Amino acid sequence: MSAVPEPGLATSGFVDPDGMNLWPIGNCEIAALVNSKAAITWGCLPRFDGDPVFCSLLEPEEDHGFWDILLEGCSRIEQRYIRNTPVLVTRMSSEGGNAIEIVDFMPRYQRHGRMFRPMAIARIIRVISGSPRITVRLRPAHNWGAGKPVQTSGSNHIRYILDDHTQRLTCNAPLGWIRDETMFRVESDLYFYFGPDEGFDADLGATLEAMLEKTVSTWQHWVRGLHLPLEWQEAVIRAAITLKLCQYEQTGAIVAALTTSLPEHADSGRNWDYRFCWIRDAYFTVQALNRLGALDVLESYLHYLRNIVDAARGGHIQPLYGIGGEAQIEEHIMPALKGYAGMGPVRCGNQAYEQIQHDAYGQIVLSSVQAFFDQRLLRTATVQDFEALEAIGHRAFKMYDTPDAGLWELRTRAHVHTYSVAMCWAACDRLANAANAIGRSDASKFWQHRADTIRTHIDQNAWSHDGDHYSAVLGERTLDASLLQLLDLKFVQADDPRFITTLAAIEEGLRRGSHMLRYAEEDDFGLPETAFNVCTFWLIEALHATGRNRDARALFEEMLSRRTPAGLLSEDIDPRTGTLWGNYPQTYSLVGLIQCAGMLSRPWSDAR
């Protein structure tokens, strides 16, 4: 069987068809991953960070935790998204000429003046040719794979009683054949709606067809409003849609990825839960989508941030929060699931919420400052917003020269990381800009003075004279890829000799062929074995900025070839084999794709 990408997408030759060949569907309330055989193998309820009702991605040998549709004698599978949507179409065909299409989506459209995004998955099966026979196996799990839900049946539905709620499957297929997983012939369109335990009073087929049409239209109109580069448009659109899927619209939070515990490399133990809102990752996400003009994501996220800032104690900001704004995210091992390809542990929660990471102060301010200048926003920033952000700035200035865990979240050691200090500088520098925007010149001078103080500290202590480059840790001679971000932060200019020599040192020390390591020193789990995809995109940005355009374009094209058939990237990649690892889809990686495409593309004037 083979998987065929959306027209225009390059098929990665490095994707295990039973591994990272995963197609996200979602509606900004919940999300799921569909594998190359049209099985839903990952999906949490009642929200992104909930219990994985579909969890076979992390326990492939188990007999539950999935929803698949099997075509008798299937010999070929093709998959694509409906253009400019996250609506997935899977075509299955057999040697005997029988074929079906499966349309998978989660409804999302305006209804009664608000966005309708039910906690539901819709699946439509259409006969394409012949007399196909199928088996439908809906086997949800609960309690992190430890149990199977109790089932009860009605006249047209099956109820699945989970730990804290009940889901209902409503369908027009013979209910007994669905419940007993009996193979049967498909002679007309079949409709399945797996949603809240509520009666479905309307005509099921007509309703799901209308939901599909409205959902497709909603997404296509959202894409229509994006400001795209001339080149690589399909890649950028797919990345943008997926970033949007990672926003929990109820609160505006943005998760770092839709999954937990996909290892950074084989048997590494580096298995983390990314279904939460990292202030850092969300900053990069809104920055990328802002460049595409997707202001709805920024506006929702700013609402989330304002609530985080209001609740901050003395200006202290955690590295991450729950998607509902929860401050406590305790980490637990879930023993019923063996892990991706048997490589555990499987974790729920992330203890990094307890860490000290000073870069969060800069990202709070950098995410918020656009609202002081952008008149397109429905709600521009106020004096009260500025005063709330000043508490964050005061905290940044207080903590900038003290050790933290750094953006790579080291669990057993702390240093004064250059990137964290630079982010504290950025917090003060951008507060000065915001103060000017609201006519507070005295406040602007105050924050600019603080920014200058931090800049002097970095220049005096982060430069490794014997290495002739900036150091990742003040007073030492270490490297990590985050030093490339000094350019994006506007701390240095691309023609600054200090940046040029730092770039050279990073390439020599951290580049592995076409890929970039985060760092090359032992951490809590030993030496890293995989490259971090976003770091490679940071390298591409630096190459372009320093005039190495041909190198930048070649490296970008290679990164595009590494995408899954769905057009997406995970967190990490093995630089020797090209195998993708880590949580998926990773917002960091997709941000890098969008940023580099916009930077490297030929201008629209070339096409006019």
Side-chain angles (χ1 to χ4, degrees), residues 440-460:
R440 291 197 166 183
S441 58
D442 289 346
S444 179
K445 293 176 182 177
F446 173 83
W447 287 111
Q448 192 58 60
H449 174 72
R450 288 192 157 187
D452 292 344
T453 299
I454 299 175
R455 172 182 281 278
T456 300
H457 185 76
I458 293 173
D459 286 338
Q460 291 177 347

Side-chain angles (χ1 to χ4, degrees), residues 282-295:
Y283 156 67
F284 282 110
T285 299
V286 297
Q287 183 185 43
L289 290 177
N290 284 349
R291 294 186 179 183
L292 298 179
L295 293 180

Side-chain angles (χ1 to χ4, degrees), residues 19-42:
M20 287 293 177
N21 190 348
L22 299 166
W23 301 70
I25 59 174
N27 62 3
C28 304
E29 182 79 15
I30 59 171
L33 298 178
V34 183
N35 74 4
S36 61
K37 299 176 183 177
I40 297 176
T41 60
W42 183 257

Side-chain angles (χ1 to χ4, degrees), residues 14-15 19-22 33 42 57-58 256-275 340-341 343 345 518 529-534 564 568-574 578-589:
F14 306 96
V15 180
M20 287 293 177
N21 190 348
L22 299 166
L33 298 178
W42 183 257
L57 180 65
L58 298 182
L258 296 176
T259 57
T260 177
S261 304
L262 298 188
E264 293 181 13
H265 60 82
D267 298 310
S268 65
R270 301 171 187 261
N271 302 11
W272 313 113
D273 192 348
Y274 278 7
R275 302 168 305 145
Y340 178 80
M343 293 180 286
R518 287 173 288 181
E529 295 184 22
T530 50
F532 208 58
N533 285 321
V534 75
T564 66
L568 305 174
L569 288 165
S570 62
E571 182 180 38
D572 303 274
I573 192 167
D574 187 324
T579 302
L580 293 172
W581 291 94
N583 282 306
Y584 173 93
Q586 174 74 4
T587 55
Y588 249 166
S589 302

Side-chain angles (χ1 to χ4, degrees), residues 101-271:
E101 272 191 354
I102 304 166
V103 181
D104 289 326
F105 71 101
M106 295 182 182
R108 181 178 179 274
Y109 51 87
Q110 285 286 334
R111 191 181 75 166
H112 305 315
R114 58 185 181 273
M115 190 62 73
F116 176 64
R117 44 177 189 267
M119 192 176 62
I121 303 171
R123 309 195 84 173
I124 301 173
I125 302 176
R126 307 192 196 280
V127 178
I128 301 303
S129 63
S131 301
R133 283 160 44 92
I134 67 168
T135 303
V136 178
R137 303 191 300 175
L138 174 53
R139 300 181 183 179
H142 71 102
N143 191 22
W144 284 81
K148 302 177 183 179
V150 173
Q151 297 183 25
T152 65
S153 298
S155 56
N156 294 292
H157 69 264
I158 304 172
R159 300 169 73 242
Y160 300 85
I161 302 173
L162 305 170
D163 283 344
D164 55 359
H165 71 285
T166 298
Q167 288 287 111
R168 177 186 296 221
L169 174 71
T170 303
C171 67
N172 67 335
L175 208 62
W177 292 349
I178 303 302
R179 185 181 56 244
D180 299 336
E181 299 181 355
T182 301
M183 183 179 291
F184 64 96
R185 180 183 290 191
V186 184
E187 297 185 335
S188 60
D189 290 351
L190 298 178
Y191 299 92
F192 299 84
Y193 188 80
F194 184 69
D197 188 23
E198 301 168 353
F200 206 105
D201 298 330
D203 180 283
L204 179 64
T207 302
L208 262 61
E209 293 287 2
M211 285 182 172
L212 173 60
E213 181 180 354
K214 293 174 184 176
T215 298
V216 167
S217 177
T218 296
W219 282 104
Q220 289 182 340
H221 277 81
W222 185 80
V223 170
R224 185 173 177 266
L226 299 180
H227 308 315
L228 298 173
L230 175 61
E231 297 181 87
W232 309 297
Q233 289 186 41
E234 287 168 345
V236 171
I237 288 170
R238 183 55 48 203
I241 288 173
T242 307
L243 290 180
K244 177 64 178 172
L245 287 181
C246 290
Q247 181 166 55
Y248 184 62
E249 280 188 330
Q250 276 199 39
T251 63
I254 301 169
V255 296
L258 296 176
T259 57
T260 177
S261 304
L262 298 188
E264 293 181 13
H265 60 82
D267 298 310
S268 65
R270 301 171 187 261
N271 302 11

